Amino acid sequence: MADIARKASAHWEGDLRSGKGTVSSGSGVLSGAQYSFGTRFENGVGTNPEELLAAAHAGCFTMQLSALLANHGHTIESLDTEATCEMVRDGAGFKVSTMRLTVRGKVTGSDQADFEEHVRDAADKCPLSNVMKGNVEIVHEAILE
């Protein structure tokens, strides 16, 4: 049995191109958020699975980095992570090829080299990074401000 379990759901009506759907999270933070072919492939209004994956990865990675920095005695003023989920054509469909994480930190007691080391360590320990390893190239950029 899992120590932690979180739920989300999706509802879809219609075919791929003209259909539409909603996604919701168990917490209620997402409640009927719209997604469609247009939001996924044409920059329409709403969300899409790749955007949600990028948001989840940015959040997970940033929390992991925060824990590592604090455990090494650093004071964290702020950490801002931008995640970009990239897809490429794969036969008749698409696949997530790359996740680019750019993290900017204001951290007392750290220099650029130390910050980069913690980012690499967070990359090894982040649960969502580990889910993607071997299937998705994960690229990190660390900027200490």
Side-chain angles (χ1 to χ4, degrees):
M1 180 174 235
D3 289 337
I4 298 170
R6 301 289 186 250
K7 291 184 179 185
S9 61
H11 175 77
W12 188 265
E13 296 177 0
D15 64 27
L16 176 62
R17 285 210 181 261
S18 64
K20 62 183 177 179
T22 59
V23 291
S24 299
S25 61
S27 69
V29 170
L30 287 175
S31 179
Q34 174 190 327
Y35 77 112
S36 66
F37 184 89
T39 64
R40 192 169 193 188
F41 298 105
E42 300 170 348
N43 295 320
V45 176
T47 192
N48 59 71
E50 293 73 31
E51 176 181 72
L52 296 171
L53 179 60
H57 196 190
C60 186
F61 178 83
T62 305
M63 289 177 78
Q64 183 67 61
L65 179 58
S66 172
L68 292 170
L69 288 164
N71 286 343
H72 285 94
H74 300 300
T75 301
I76 302 149
E77 182 179 328
S78 66
L79 296 171
D80 294 291
T81 303
E82 179 179 277
T84 303
C85 182
E86 299 177 358
M87 288 196 317
V88 295
R89 286 207 175 272
D90 184 36
F94 288 86
K95 72 174 186 174
V96 173
S97 61
T98 308
M99 183 70 77
R100 297 185 186 281
L101 298 173
T102 301
V103 59
R104 296 177 185 280
K106 293 181 183 175
V107 181
T108 303
S110 185
D111 61 20
Q112 183 64 35
D114 178 70
F115 188 61
E116 289 174 3
E117 182 179 328
H118 285 297
V119 166
R120 284 190 298 274
D121 195 20
D124 287 337
K125 294 178 176 153
C126 170
L128 288 184
S129 292
N130 285 320
V131 166
M132 290 183 255
K133 280 182 185 168
N135 297 308
V136 176
E137 178 186 16
I138 303 173
V139 179
H140 301 89
E141 181 180 9
I143 303 165
L144 186 65
E145 297 177 334

